[in-house]
Amino acid sequence: MQRRIRHITRAWILVFLLFSPTLQNLNPIPVSISTEPDLDYNYEYEKHGVYTKFSDWVPYKLHKWEPKFLEDYYEMYGLKLHYKENELRRNIFFLKAGLQKRFRHPRNALCRVTNEEEYHKYRLLIFMHMNLQIMRSYMRIASQFDKRHLYFYNLDFAHELKQSFEVADSFYKEAIPYWEASRKYADQASEIDYDLDLGTIETERYEIITGKLDFGQIISDHRERLTKKRETVGAYLAKYPEADKPNLDQIP
């Protein structure tokens, strides 16, 4: 009932305003009905006597950063505690791209260099380390397709293991050239008698040239063990050829 009374009251007020003599004598004010907004986004703003467009004060892209130098790509390398193949492939992509770029100016190097020989060793050590990181990433991917231990019940998936071991071996092979490149740069860097403040990178160089760090032997051992596991899977599939197909029944 109260709502109905309010509606009737509003209606009478509207009638009074429409037929009021005072309102009838007022001149109408023209109103623009243009659909174009009356806004000037490029109006000039005065600051310290200099006129600047307002749009120049608003950044078009925030946090825009484009890697340009080798060190820029190297600094994009990162590995989480729990990583998968995508993170490893991402690191490989950036490290490979960085190897094709030029270095920063010596004053912006990753460590302090005081002469040309130090800067030359710096470049050799960075090449060594980046190749080593690419090699390690390939080996980590290979480990995700490899099995440390092959038990008898794993042979229920002999078909899948055959394919997985083939992929693992291909990634082990991919890692070999980058290990050889790392060893080459380590040998060249060791000919320069300067110690740079690059932390563990100098330690890596020392361990490589002394043979303490020998990924060539490590990769060879991985491939030998993988060969034995592939032979076991091959012998099982030769004995049970009907098992050489996807085992859909065992997939939960």
Side-chain angles (χ1 to χ4, degrees):
M1 184 66 181
Q2 292 179 355
R3 183 179 298 177
R4 185 176 180 182
I5 293 173
R6 284 199 300 269
H7 285 308
I8 295 173
T9 304
R10 291 175 182 174
W12 278 107
I13 293 174
L14 180 61
V15 171
F16 173 76
L17 292 175
L18 290 175
F19 293 97
S20 174
T22 303
L23 294 176
Q24 291 178 357
N25 295 329
L26 295 177
N27 295 325
I29 299 175
V31 179
S32 174
I33 58 174
S34 174
T35 58
E36 294 293 331
D38 189 17
L39 298 174
D40 185 5
Y41 292 103
N42 290 323
Y43 69 84
E44 294 179 343
Y45 177 79
E46 182 178 4
K47 184 176 182 180
H48 305 303
V50 178
Y51 290 92
T52 306
K53 288 184 178 181
F54 178 73
S55 59
D56 293 342
W57 292 88
V58 181
Y60 292 99
K61 292 184 179 180
L62 297 176
H63 309 295
K64 181 179 179 182
W65 181 74
E66 296 181 359
K68 182 178 180 182
F69 300 102
L70 179 143
E71 290 92 340
D72 297 337
Y73 285 91
Y74 169 69
E75 290 178 343
M76 296 176 72
Y77 175 90
L79 199 61
K80 299 183 294 185
L81 179 62
H82 301 287
Y83 58 86
K84 294 184 179 180
E85 184 179 350
N86 287 339
E87 287 80 10
L88 295 168
R89 287 185 178 273
R90 174 184 179 274
N91 286 333
I92 291 173
F93 173 81
F94 286 128
L95 291 174
K96 283 186 176 181
L99 290 175
Q100 306 302 320
K101 303 297 181 180
R102 61 191 178 95
F103 283 86
R104 293 174 183 170
H105 191 274
R107 66 175 182 175
N108 297 322
L110 298 177
C111 69
R112 181 172 176 267
V113 292
T114 59
N115 54 56
E116 293 183 3
E117 288 188 344
E118 285 187 353
Y119 188 55
H120 180 52
K121 182 176 183 179
Y122 162 79
R123 296 197 303 271
L124 293 173
L125 288 176
I126 295 299
F127 278 141
M128 176 204 75
H129 182 65
M130 291 178 67
N131 277 279
L132 201 61
Q133 294 300 90
I134 295 174
M135 178 216 67
R136 283 174 167 154
S137 296
Y138 273 127
M139 291 190 64
R140 288 188 176 110
I141 296 177
S143 67
Q144 295 185 354
F145 292 91
D146 197 355
K147 284 186 69 65
R148 179 168 296 183
H149 302 289
L150 184 63
Y151 300 106
F152 71 96
Y153 51 81
N154 297 135
L155 295 176
D156 290 338
F157 301 92
H159 174 77
E160 288 78 8
L161 287 172
K162 181 181 69 172
Q163 297 177 336
S164 181
F165 289 160
E166 183 177 354
V167 174
D169 191 47
S170 66
F171 280 113
Y172 285 136
K173 291 179 181 178
E174 287 285 341
I176 295 174
Y178 294 96
W179 161 248
E180 294 176 350
S182 298
R183 188 171 57 181
K184 179 189 70 174
Y185 288 120
D187 291 338
Q188 294 177 2
S190 299
E191 297 175 359
I192 302 175
D193 191 18
Y194 288 98
D195 289 331
L196 301 182
D197 187 18
L198 281 173
T200 58
I201 297 181
E202 280 279 17
T203 304
E204 285 178 347
R205 175 196 62 80
Y206 176 78
E207 291 179 349
I208 289 174
I209 63 173
T210 58
K212 184 178 180 180
L213 186 64
D214 187 359
F215 274 101
Q217 186 61 44
I218 294 173
I219 296 174
S220 178
D221 292 341
H222 278 295
R223 294 191 67 197
E224 287 181 5
R225 289 193 293 267
L226 182 62
T227 300
K228 295 179 181 178
K229 286 178 281 190
R230 295 176 75 178
E231 291 174 353
T232 301
V233 171
Y236 179 84
L237 292 176
K239 185 177 180 180
Y240 304 101
E242 67 279 3
D244 197 3
K245 61 181 180 181
N247 192 345
L248 302 178
D249 295 334
Q250 297 292 337
I251 298 177

